[in-house]
Every structure is written in structure tokens, then in C-alpha cells.
Amino acid sequence: MSTFKRFSSKRNSENESSNTSSTNSVSTSLASDLDNLNLTEERLKRYADEANTLSSDTTCIEGETKLRARAIFLREKAVSKTLNNIKLSMKVDLCFVLDCSGSMAPFIDAAKDCILQVSNYVKNTNPNIKLRVGFCGYRDYYNKDKNLQVFDFTDNYENFTKYLHNHVLAISNDDDPEDVLGGLNAAVNLLNWNNTTRVLLHIGDCPPHGRRFTNLRDKYPDGDPSGLTPETILKEMQSKNILYFFGKVTDHTEKMLQVFRGIIGEFPVFDIVGGDPIELIEKLVKATSSSITLAVSLTSTVGNGSKDIYSLQQKKLDMNPNEPDWKILSLQKGVVMWYQIPKYLNEIKDQKYFNKSNLFSKSFSFKIASQPFSAGIEKCAYYALDDQNNPLVIKEYHCVGRTNPFEKYLEAIEISTVASFLSREFNLITKGKEIHKVNFLDVSLLRTGTVDLHTRYYTIEPRLLNSGYKRFNANTGIITELHHTLEAFAHFTYKYTNGYLVVCDLQGIELDGEFLLTDPAIHCVDTLRFGRTNFGKEGIKQFFLANHKCNEICEKLRLSSNSKFRLNLERLNLFKGCF
């Protein structure tokens, strides 16, 4: 008989969707999958495989003890290498490429006052980032020797600001397009790019010359008279691992952006349409700071190879951001599986809690889009509906390696379950303190198809309908958008588990009085848990303990004092025991 637990009660609430009907037994193929799955062995093999040093005879190692010892050795070696790459990624070259024609005068003035604010913001939120700044201003061929201005990278922000104030002025020309390609070419090839993370933030209100970019009044409709092309420049930018960001001022640049996307894939575009001078500076500071933190996060996660970084961006060209016509898609059937959220701390610390005997299941009917609408480093995401037309998101790993994908998806819902347990405990201890709740979406494993090659696994979760989806921080310690509640929650997870783990990589939406999150990562002292995004004890030390600054919420929860926090926790547990 299968060790799989037959589901006979509600999952976590009494509002379970009616699209899943309780079953007294699982399908023969699923029962066979579960019975044949040696969860511990498969996980150990995968951890060794993901370290990229799996030898051909690893699967022949006799005994769990030897396999565990080898997996630990390979994992620690891989984590050490990753941590070193992340340290390198914290060194950033940032180049402003700025249209300096007459219409851009307000943006030039904003840029002059921007960099000191940016450097202070980075220093306060992400002190590990070391930043050099450079500048390339462009106008047009008409301006001759005043067309291009280049200031090489420096970490002396006062000198940088002084150069902008003294030497960079808005000068008008005699048609609408500008020498955009000349400016980008100078930035890519004339500056001394040295640091691992390389950011080019381009701000302009008009496109390059040429019919492929614009229908505006143009003295050079055949394009750049010197023969520069975006293909040549952007490919050179890629080869130098420089990440491109754009600050959009007008819709005149929309055709240019389409051409650029066709060459290098998707890239972030910031809306910095003007307002009053203070608002404009604030927008530019936010765009610049976001460019830095996004680039560091991407470089540290993928590595510093342009092939990997730009392959992800190119992959996004194959996305379809629009929902499909659900009427023409057929209803599919599968089984959803999940772990019950534990009741006690010792259960989340015990890996044996998350085994096959503690799985729950229900039959499930759904529709799924044929193309993903989004892609990240590890997964792509599809729009989906259940048979009650409730909106869902179904996610699939790009690659699961040479081991059993079933095991990897089980680990994904284990991570979600642990995060949900800790958020529940956080919300209990913050009750009545006017602190935002922290909640995670319920995530299940979805199995479809049969036991042959067409069997597929996914994770499935409710769809966040709010459009303000954000990544607030990363598992590398980078804070992309500072929220004291979320930083206090990470601190709470460390204190509550006595230093066993930290929940990080917090992303989702902010609602009225609540953060609703998904896809967290966990750093844990046990490197054989929580996947390749777990950087172990050193990850906790370098990316949480070394960076975290206690805020007013940490103080309110007395997280900075072990004795007071323990006393509060004991009182809470006594209170919980009354029910």
C-alpha cells in the first residue's frame, strides 16, 4: 500500500475551493510514483548534482551516510563559491547616459543633485555595495565637438557632482532625434568598466536618427551617418556584461525601445516624466537606486556571465503577458498535494516531518495558458483557472537536473509551508501592535498526466490580482525596497528559530495592513535543506546578521533583546495553549 496519506479534511481553512473533491484513494500511477520515491536519496543526489561536480559514480555510493557526507561536501564547496561571486557582484559600475539637448535641461539639473542622494541611500540600505559612477552625455552631430561628453568612473561623488555642475549644459540642436547611438557607443567603449556588476542607465526624450526609430522631423532619415547600428553597440554591451536600463521621458522613444528589445530582450524601463524639480529628483533617485539593486540582485543570482544574464532577458521575449481565451482551452485534470502547516517549532526543524506520510492530496481540474507570462531565474509562470474560474498561477522550473522532479517540487512546497508557519507566529506576536501582517500564499504541488514521459509537475497558487508586485529583498541580502515590517519579520524568523534559519527573498504585494508574499528563500544552518538558494550558516551571517539594522518594529517586538523576546514568546505560547 502507498505511504501517501489519503485526504479527508479541509486544508488550512474552511473556505477550500469546491474545484477539488476529496478522494479516498490516489491514482495508481501517483501511488506508484510515491512508493518508488526515496525522498532522502533523491534529494541528496540532486544537491550533489546542483553543485555541478557530480561524478558519474555518485549514484553508486553505498549507503545514505556516505551519500550524505558527499552531498554536504559538494554543497559547502558550491556555497563557498557562490558567496565569493556575490561579494564580487556588490562592486558596481554605474554609468549615466544622458541626453543633454535643450529639452532635457530639467533632467540634467536633477541628475546633478541625484548622485549624492543615491550614494547615501545605498550606504544606508545596502552597505555592502561599493559604487563607482561615470557619465556620458550626448547631443547631436550639429553640436560637433560638444556632441559627446565623457567622465570616467570614480568613487568620489563630490568630484562627479562638481563635473556635472561645471561642464554639463543643455544645448539645443536643429531637429528632433539625437545622437543616441553615439552616446551609447561612447559609454560602452570609452569608459573603464572594471567592476563585476555593470549598470548603464540611459535617460532621454528622443530616439536616434533613422526611419526604423522615428517618424519625427529628421535630417538623417537613413540613420547614423558614421554607420553605427544598435545591433553592433548592444551586442558589444552584452559582451562586456553591461546591463541596460532606460528612463523614459516621452513616448517618442517607444519605437527605439522595441528595436532594442528585439536585440537584447526585455529590460527595466522607469517612468521619469517630469513634474516639479523636487519630484523629478525623487523619481531619478528611485530609478537609479532600483537600477543598482536590481542589477546586483541579477548578477549575484545568475553569476557574472553575460550569456546567462542576457539569455534570461531574451527568454522574456517568448512570454505572453496577456490572458488567453479561456473558452477555447480544455479542462485538464490532475492532483494537488501539500503539507499541513506545522503547529510547533520543532516540526519545522525536523526534516522528517516533510515526508510522504504527511502529504495531503485532492483531485483537481484546471485550465492553463499555452505560454508563460513571466520568467525568473529558476521558474516560469503561467496564467491558469480552476473549474470555478478562480484565477491561479502555475509555475514550472526551467530545469530540474538529472534527478526526480517530484522531489524538487516537494521541496518547493516545504519552503512555502515553513514560511507560512513562521508568518503565522509573527502575526500572533504582533497582534494589537498596529504592525502590518505578513502572509504567504498557499502553494501546492500539481501533478498532471500519467506515469509515462508526459507526467509533469508544477507549483500552483492563487493569483495576486494587485498590479503592484515587487521584490522587496533578495537572498543575497540586497534590499530592493525597504519596508521595516519585512526586515523585522526576517529578524523574527532568526530569533524564533534560535538562529536555525532566516526567511528572505521576500516578494509580492503590499495591501492595506498586510504584505501578501510568495516564492521565499530560506537560509538554514542545515545546507541539505531548502534548495540551492540556501547559503547555510555563512549566508545567515553575511547576508542577514552583517546587514540587518534593527528598526522601530524590531524594538517594538523586543527582537534586539534575547531575554525580553524569549519572555514574550513564552507568554504567547502559554496563551496559545489556552485554546
Side-chain angles (χ1 to χ4, degrees):
M1 177 179 288
S2 169
T3 58
F4 191 66
K5 182 175 292 186
R6 275 54 169 167
F7 179 82
S8 60
S9 61
K10 298 295 185 185
R11 180 181 177 185
N12 294 319
S13 72
E14 56 189 12
N15 295 322
E16 186 91 326
S17 171
S18 62
N19 75 299
T20 54
S21 59
S22 300
T23 58
N24 294 322
S25 62
V26 298
S27 67
T28 302
S29 63
L30 177 54
S32 176
D33 269 7
L34 285 159
D35 284 338
N36 293 331
L37 178 64
N38 185 327
L39 194 57
T40 300
E41 181 178 328
E42 288 293 338
R43 186 154 298 172
L44 292 174
K45 288 178 181 178
R46 176 168 62 84
Y47 273 54
D49 190 21
E50 288 177 342
N52 293 321
T53 51
L54 183 66
S55 63
S56 59
D57 63 348
T58 300
T59 56
C60 299
I61 295 175
E62 293 183 2
E64 181 182 324
T65 301
K66 289 184 178 181
L67 183 55
R68 179 177 296 274
R70 177 155 179 79
I72 290 173
F73 170 76
L74 294 175
R75 273 286 294 152
E76 290 181 349
K77 185 177 178 181
V79 166
S80 178
K81 182 179 179 180
T82 300
L83 294 180
N84 185 60
N85 288 337
I86 291 172
K87 286 181 182 178
L88 292 174
S89 73
M90 300 294 177
K91 297 181 178 181
V92 181
D93 285 339
L94 166 68
C95 176
F96 288 97
V97 177
L98 187 62
D99 180 344
C100 295
S101 59
S103 60
M104 289 291 291
F107 297 88
I108 297 172
D109 290 338
K112 293 174 181 177
D113 296 320
C114 168
I115 194 60
L116 290 178
Q117 292 188 40
V118 168
S119 64
N120 287 331
Y121 175 81
V122 169
K123 183 178 179 180
N124 289 329
T125 58
N126 295 292
N128 285 343
I129 293 179
K130 307 303 177 187
L131 180 65
R132 298 195 311 162
V133 290
F135 176 82
C136 181
Y138 65 87
R139 298 179 180 91
D140 208 354
Y141 320 121
Y142 171 85
N143 303 115
K144 299 181 179 179
D145 60 337
K146 294 181 180 179
N147 180 17
L148 298 175
Q149 286 183 269
V150 175
F151 185 80
D152 208 354
F153 291 112
T154 180
D155 57 7
N156 189 321
Y157 309 132
E158 288 79 8
N159 284 352
F160 179 84
T161 302
K162 187 181 297 183
Y163 172 82
L164 294 185
H165 275 287
N166 293 340
H167 300 285
V168 180
L169 301 173
I171 301 176
S172 297
N173 59 48
D174 58 350
D175 66 356
D176 293 321
E178 312 293 353
D179 186 16
V180 175
L181 299 183
L184 292 175
N185 184 61
V188 170
N189 292 299
L190 297 184
L191 272 71
N192 182 28
W193 297 89
N194 272 337
N195 282 333
T196 299
T197 298
R198 301 172 178 185
V199 181
L200 191 157
L201 176 56
H202 176 199
I203 301 165
D205 64 351
C206 283
H209 291 275
R211 296 182 187 90
R212 67 186 297 198
F213 300 111
T214 182
N215 295 319
L216 295 172
R217 180 172 57 92
D218 188 355
K219 293 183 66 176
Y220 300 92
D222 294 328
D224 187 284
S226 64
L228 287 175
T229 66
E231 286 79 5
T232 301
I233 297 166
L234 296 179
K235 292 297 183 182
E236 180 68 14
M237 184 181 70
Q238 282 184 315
S239 72
K240 293 186 175 182
N241 307 334
I242 300 168
L243 292 169
Y244 181 77
F245 298 79
F246 185 70
K248 185 176 180 180
V249 179
T250 71
D251 289 334
H252 293 322
T253 54
E254 191 55 45
K255 286 184 71 175
M256 176 193 80
L257 295 179
Q258 292 176 11
V259 172
F260 285 11
R261 289 188 186 105
I263 299 169
I264 60 173
E266 289 293 333
F267 47 83
V269 175
F270 301 101
D271 177 8
I272 54 171
V273 176
D276 62 70
I278 293 177
E279 182 185 5
L280 186 56
I281 292 172
E282 289 175 350
K283 286 185 175 183
L284 191 55
V285 167
K286 185 173 182 180
T288 306
S289 302
S290 296
S291 299
I292 294 168
T293 54
L294 287 171
V296 170
S297 180
L298 180 60
T299 305
S300 61
T301 304
V302 176
N304 62 356
S306 61
K307 180 179 179 181
D308 291 330
I309 292 172
Y310 280 101
S311 66
L312 176 62
Q313 291 182 309
Q314 199 69 39
K315 189 179 296 179
K316 291 183 179 179
L317 288 179
D318 299 327
M319 305 293 105
N320 186 346
N322 303 311
E323 285 199 58
D325 181 357
W326 296 112
K327 294 179 181 178
I328 65 174
L329 294 179
S330 60
L331 201 64
Q332 301 186 40
K333 294 186 180 296
V335 175
V336 289
M337 291 163 272
W338 65 90
Y339 295 111
Q340 186 99 9
I341 295 179
K343 295 181 178 179
Y344 306 107
L345 175 62
N346 65 331
E347 291 177 326
I348 72 165
K349 287 187 173 184
D350 183 8
Q351 193 169 4
K352 293 180 181 178
Y353 176 87
F354 297 96
N355 58 31
K356 294 181 289 185
S357 63
N358 277 331
L359 274 173
F360 292 78
S361 80
K362 291 179 89 174
S363 59
F364 189 78
S365 299
F366 65 98
K367 293 181 178 181
I368 183 172
S370 59
Q371 286 180 284
F373 68 86
S374 180
I377 302 299
E378 287 199 307
K379 301 174 187 174
C380 55
Y382 298 81
Y383 287 126
L385 291 179
D386 65 19
D387 62 1
Q388 302 298 310
N389 292 323
N390 294 310
L392 306 168
V393 172
I394 288 178
K395 297 178 181 178
E396 184 177 30
Y397 282 105
H398 299 309
C399 178
V400 293
R402 291 180 281 175
T403 53
N404 193 326
F406 196 178
E407 174 274 323
K408 184 165 184 173
Y409 282 93
L410 284 174
E411 183 179 68
I413 63 169
E414 177 182 338
I415 293 171
S416 174
T417 303
V418 170
S420 293
F421 167 82
L422 290 168
S423 68
R424 183 187 67 186
E425 299 301 293
F426 177 81
N427 293 335
L428 282 172
I429 206 168
T430 59
K431 191 173 183 179
K433 291 183 169 61
E434 296 185 355
I435 296 172
H436 274 37
K437 290 183 178 180
V438 175
N439 288 311
F440 288 87
L441 294 176
D442 285 337
V443 178
S444 302
L445 186 159
L446 171 63
R447 180 188 185 277
T448 68
T450 62
V451 78
D452 60 19
L453 294 177
H454 293 94
T455 300
R456 296 180 73 172
Y457 298 93
Y458 306 92
T459 61
I460 185 168
E461 62 193 50
R463 192 189 313 173
L464 293 171
L465 298 180
N466 186 294
S467 60
Y469 188 94
K470 297 176 181 176
R471 190 178 190 184
F472 301 108
N473 61 41
N475 68 324
T476 58
I478 294 297
I479 298 172
T480 51
E481 184 166 313
L482 179 63
H483 288 274
H484 287 172
T485 298
L486 298 180
E487 299 309 307
F489 171 70
H491 192 173
F492 169 83
T493 63
Y494 176 76
K495 287 287 188 179
Y496 185 87
T497 62
N498 296 311
Y500 179 70
L501 61 78
V502 172
V503 178
C504 55
D505 206 0
L506 302 178
Q507 53 194 309
I509 60 175
E510 181 181 9
L511 303 172
D512 184 19
E514 175 189 18
F515 288 97
L516 192 54
L517 308 175
T518 186
D519 279 338
I522 296 176
H523 294 318
C524 178
V525 296
D526 183 353
T527 54
L528 296 185
R529 295 192 70 182
F530 306 128
R532 64 194 307 169
T533 54
N534 170 21
F535 298 150
K537 187 182 296 184
E538 281 301 307
I540 294 175
K541 179 181 176 181
Q542 295 183 30
F543 303 138
F544 173 70
L545 295 177
N547 286 343
H548 179 72
K549 294 180 180 179
C550 281
N551 56 58
E552 68 273 12
I553 296 178
C554 298
E555 296 298 326
K556 191 177 290 188
L557 300 179
R558 299 180 175 179
L559 292 171
S560 55
S561 170
N562 265 327
S563 58
K564 291 180 179 178
F565 176 71
R566 285 290 146 214
L567 182 60
N568 284 349
L569 197 56
E570 288 169 7
R571 289 173 178 169
L572 176 63
N573 287 331
L574 285 173
F575 178 74
K576 286 165 60 181
C578 295
F579 293 88

